[in-house]
Amino acid sequence: MLPVLPPLRTFSSSLHVLRRAFSTTPRANLARMTVVGRLAADPEPTVTSAGHELVKYAVGTSDGTGENQKTSWYRFGAFVEGPRKDYLLGLKKGTLVYVEGDAKLDNYQGDDGKTHQALRLTQRSISVLSRPQHAQGVAEESS
């Protein structure tokens, strides 16, 4: 005896339910970047034109070897407060970091009258992978 299959209408209605399981909210325009590199300088606190506190820093990454090595620089801004701000400001030049951030391409009018583009990176998270060698030596000598 052959099994009885459900009517086709039930099958199509179950597909309808599967389609509704996904989000119906509009897709957000989102770009994220992950950068692994060394801090170009100690992070610096600053205030935006709107009065918000911001910590700015740059991360350098290298590609290639020997004379073919090229360095790319990425500037980040972090809107952090309290202990997170203190932690970020405590990092030193040369620290190897893993940074995740939101990326946005801004257009602006330059002094030359031409339209230019700049990549704006806002930190979402940062992890220290290693401290610079000279900073470790200083910490060991002072203990």
Side-chain angles (χ1 to χ4, degrees):
M1 187 163 142
L2 294 173
V4 177
L5 297 174
L8 187 58
R9 190 176 89 220
T10 304
F11 179 73
S12 65
S13 66
S14 64
L15 284 178
H16 181 69
V17 170
L18 288 176
R19 280 187 297 204
R20 292 209 175 258
F22 294 101
S23 175
T24 58
T25 58
R27 179 175 55 105
N29 292 330
L30 176 65
R32 294 240 170 104
M33 284 188 69
T34 302
V35 178
V36 177
R38 296 202 177 271
L39 290 177
D42 296 353
E44 298 178 352
T46 187
V47 178
T48 66
S49 59
H52 298 102
E53 291 187 11
L54 171 73
V55 177
K56 295 186 339 183
Y57 60 93
V59 177
T61 62
S62 297
D63 185 33
T65 57
E67 292 181 18
N68 296 328
Q69 188 173 27
K70 296 186 181 189
T71 302
S72 297
W73 298 100
Y74 300 92
R75 291 179 296 210
F76 281 89
F79 295 94
V80 289
E81 297 175 345
R84 288 182 179 184
K85 179 179 179 182
D86 296 337
Y87 175 76
L88 189 56
L89 290 173
L91 298 178
K92 298 296 177 196
K93 175 182 178 177
T95 302
L96 183 64
V97 292
Y98 174 98
V99 187
E100 292 180 348
D102 293 331
K104 184 174 187 224
L105 196 58
D106 287 332
N107 295 316
Y108 66 95
Q109 193 82 15
D111 293 337
D112 56 2
K114 295 182 180 178
T115 301
H116 299 276
Q117 292 184 328
L119 181 63
R120 183 176 59 181
L121 297 168
T122 304
Q123 173 194 305
R124 293 183 64 79
S125 66
I126 186 169
S127 299
V128 173
L129 302 178
S130 71
R131 305 265 178 190
Q133 291 297 333
H134 62 280
Q136 290 175 350
V138 170
E140 291 171 2
E141 289 175 13
S142 64
S143 350

